[in-house]
Amino acid sequence: MTTDFDTEPAVEGWFATDESGATHLIGGKCTACATYVFPPRESNCPNPGCDSDTLALVPLSRRGTVWSYTENRYAPPPPYPSPDPFQPFAVAAVELADEGLIVLGKVVEGTL
């Protein structure tokens, strides 16, 4: 599936662009147990079996498997931006290919 996404990040610090111009999510990766987390943070490993407090900021996979999706008919709450007037859009839960991490995000504009 090929989709054109907005080039402006929804939340500053959650996205980056590599040298080829491709946009990717930024996540945290525990330096002790290699557990990933999104949104990114630099402390507090989410793995209950790990007591590390150091996460490195890393680029996340650009490919994954859609677990579920739905149509959002209501404007998102702050800090997420919303156009005025609001237009419905689809959101999907995607398991990232390399990390096994599930992220939720907007995938298409103007669903019916």
Side-chain angles (χ1 to χ4, degrees):
M1 173 176 85
T2 302
T3 306
D4 292 327
F5 293 98
D6 293 334
T7 57
E8 184 178 323
V11 179
E12 194 65 39
W14 287 14
F15 297 84
T17 304
D18 65 20
E19 54 280 346
S20 72
T23 303
H24 60 270
L25 293 172
I26 297 171
K29 182 179 180 183
C30 179
T31 58
C33 72
T35 296
Y36 289 92
V37 64
F38 183 82
R41 63 181 186 231
E42 296 182 59
S43 63
N44 191 18
C45 178
N47 180 348
C50 180
D51 60 0
S52 176
D53 198 33
T54 306
L55 281 75
L57 296 180
V58 296
L60 299 177
S61 302
R62 293 180 40 87
R63 295 191 176 274
T65 302
V66 174
W67 272 37
S68 182
Y69 69 94
T70 190
E71 181 178 318
N72 187 353
R73 293 195 157 274
Y74 303 97
Y80 305 101
S82 180
D84 187 19
F86 174 76
Q87 294 285 325
F89 59 90
V91 293
V94 177
E95 181 179 9
L96 299 180
D98 296 335
E99 297 84 358
L101 180 67
I102 299 171
V103 296
L104 180 66
K106 180 177 171 180
V107 291
V108 291
E109 300 264 2
T111 60
L112 298 176

